[in-house]
Amino acid sequence: GEPRLGDADLDGKVTSNDALMALQQTVGIINMGCLSFALADTDEDIGRISANDALKILQATVGLLEL
């Protein structure tokens, strides 16, 4: 499917791997491209990836939150 909010790895699905990528971006292990970064930035602080973004992605994977 088409990449959507929360889909950091651009595979068309929001999964725990997307949350992992958000955390890796947060601590500088990876450097996401522009589209991945924009899709991983799921909270209200536009332009910054944080653990909160990873949490929201994880919540979406188990149906607690809709992105």
Side-chain angles (χ1 to χ4, degrees):
E2 292 286 316
R4 61 188 187 95
L5 191 61
D7 183 17
D9 64 7
L10 307 177
D11 69 352
K13 301 173 288 206
V14 177
T15 66
S16 59
N17 189 60
D18 300 303
L20 173 63
M21 287 182 66
L23 287 173
Q24 289 173 328
Q25 173 73 28
T26 299
V27 297
I29 293 173
I30 64 170
N31 194 8
M32 290 181 181
C34 292
L35 180 56
S36 290
F37 190 98
L39 293 174
D41 190 9
T42 58
D43 62 14
E44 306 304 314
D45 65 345
I46 305 287
R48 184 171 164 262
I49 304 291
S50 67
N52 189 54
D53 295 298
L55 174 62
K56 290 182 97 159
I57 293 168
L58 280 175
Q59 289 172 327
T61 67
V62 296
L64 293 177
L65 182 74
E66 181 139 349
L67 295 175

